[in-house]
Amino acid sequence: MSDTEKKIADTKGQFLQAVSQGQRLTDAEWRNCRIVLTTERVALLGDDKRQISLTDIDRIADRFDVNQQSAGVSDYIALYVGEDVILVSASDHEAFETDFYRASLDGAIVLVQHPALKGGVVQSAEWTKGRLKVTDEALKLAMADGQAVVIDRADIGDLAVEEKQVSGEERTVIQVEHSEDDISVETHLAGEEFHATVLRTMLEESAEQNQADLDLSSTEKRVIMALHSGVSPFDIPNFVGIDVEKTEAIFDRLIELDVISVLRERTEVNLTTKGRRVAGERMGEQ
C-alpha cells in the first residue's frame, strides 16, 4: 500500500465472476472472501486473491444476474473491468456501497451547473468545476466559484441522464432534482466516464428508494403538484376539488411521509364563557 493509499473498509463478503474475457459464466458460484476497500483498489481475499484497481473499472451496476446463484442474492455491486464482470456482495452491503462511492468519488473534480432549474424555471448558471464528497446522507459539492451545494440523498426526486456537449466535449450529463431552501432545483453534473457511472448509479439508487418509500394516491399526487405550482394550502380544496376535511387528512399523511413540512400551525379555538361575554358586550355597544 502506497503512502497516499488509505483503507476505507475491511469486511466479510463474497464475490462471483459473472463474465471472464467476454464469456458469460453460467456455472459461476459465489466464493466467500474478505473485502478490503481502499482509495485505490478493491481486494477480494479468499482461497485466491483478486485485486481490482478503481481506475480499471469501466462502469458499475446494481444487477447482473448471470445465473440463479447471482439472482438469489439481493444486494451486490457489479464491477465491469475490461472484458470481465465481477459481482461483490458485502455482509453489510448498504454501508459497503457508500464506502465504495466515497472511495471512487471523494476528491474527484466534475463539471457542475447549479442551479440549472429553480422552481421549474431555467436559470443562466454557467458550468463550473466542483469537488465531490460523499457522506451517508448527501453528495456535497465544493464549487470553484465559492458555492457549497448539498444534494440530500433522501431528497432526490426526478433523475435524468443525457449525452450533451459540455465545454466542447460530448459528455454524460446527470440531471438531478432536489430541494434547496424549500424550493425545487435541478443540478447538472458531468465528469469522466468512471465518475459519471458511479454518480449515476448512486443517485439512481437514492431516487428509486425515495420513490419506493411512497405509495401515493392520484389525489395526493394532485395536491403535491398544486403545492409545487404555487397554490396556497388554503386554496387546495377548491383547486383540487376535495373538501377541507379530506385536504387536512392528506396533509397529515404527507407530513408523516416527509413529503411536506409544517411552516406554522393553525390553532383551532372556541370561545369560553368569558369570551362570549366580551362578544355580547361588543354587540351591545353597536
Side-chain angles (χ1 to χ4, degrees), residues 25-45:
L25 304 179
T26 55
D27 59 348
E29 296 183 348
W30 289 101
R31 301 181 186 180
N32 293 329
C33 66
R34 173 185 167 201
I35 305 171
V36 178
L37 174 67
T38 76
T39 52
E40 296 183 10
R41 73 195 74 201
V42 180
L44 308 173
L45 310 176

Side-chain angles (χ1 to χ4, degrees), residues 83-286:
E83 294 186 315
D84 296 347
V85 179
I86 301 100
L87 315 183
V88 180
S89 178
S91 54
D92 185 348
H93 196 71
E94 185 175 341
F96 176 74
E97 274 189 319
T98 297
D99 286 335
F100 182 84
Y101 299 146
R102 287 172 51 212
S104 303
L105 297 175
D106 274 5
I109 303 296
V110 296
L111 293 171
V112 185
Q113 189 181 35
H114 176 86
L117 275 73
K118 187 172 183 177
V121 179
V122 176
Q123 305 295 295
S124 58
E126 298 291 331
W127 286 95
T128 186
K129 291 181 179 179
R131 185 182 298 275
L132 297 172
K133 181 175 178 59
V134 176
T135 70
D136 290 343
E137 296 81 23
L139 173 66
K140 299 184 176 181
L141 297 154
M143 311 281 279
D145 60 8
Q147 290 187 84
V149 179
V150 178
I151 301 175
D152 187 341
R153 291 170 63 183
D155 181 48
I156 295 171
D158 290 335
L159 191 91
V161 180
E162 293 185 5
E163 298 297 321
K164 288 186 175 181
Q165 282 284 329
V166 179
S167 299
E169 292 185 31
E170 187 78 9
R171 298 176 186 266
T172 299
V173 177
I174 303 165
Q175 304 169 2
V176 54
E177 184 270 329
H178 56 109
S179 63
E180 188 174 79
D181 299 326
D182 294 325
I183 298 174
S184 172
V185 298
E186 195 170 285
T187 300
H188 294 179
L189 306 167
E192 300 297 329
E193 185 175 356
F194 174 64
H195 295 144
T197 189
V198 175
L199 271 173
R200 176 178 182 172
T201 300
M202 181 181 75
L203 297 175
E204 279 182 341
E205 181 182 84
S206 296
E208 289 170 2
Q209 182 61 52
N210 296 339
Q211 291 169 6
D213 288 342
L214 302 177
D215 183 15
L216 301 177
S217 69
S218 60
T219 303
E220 288 167 337
K221 291 176 182 177
R222 286 165 59 205
V223 169
I224 291 170
M225 291 307 299
L227 292 169
H228 182 67
S229 64
V231 176
S232 166
F234 301 108
D235 295 333
I236 288 295
N238 288 334
F239 189 87
V240 178
I242 54 179
D243 60 35
V244 173
E245 190 174 296
K246 175 69 171 177
T247 302
E248 291 183 349
I250 288 175
F251 283 170
D252 288 342
R253 173 167 153 75
L254 295 180
I255 289 167
E256 288 179 7
L257 293 172
D258 199 27
V259 174
I260 61 175
S261 58
V262 178
L263 295 181
R264 57 181 178 272
E265 293 280 3
R266 286 190 302 174
T267 303
E268 187 172 349
V269 298
N270 281 318
L271 287 175
T272 63
T273 302
K274 186 181 293 186
R276 289 193 295 272
R277 186 182 305 124
V278 171
E281 291 172 353
R282 289 288 297 163
M283 289 175 68
E285 293 172 358
Q286 294 176 356

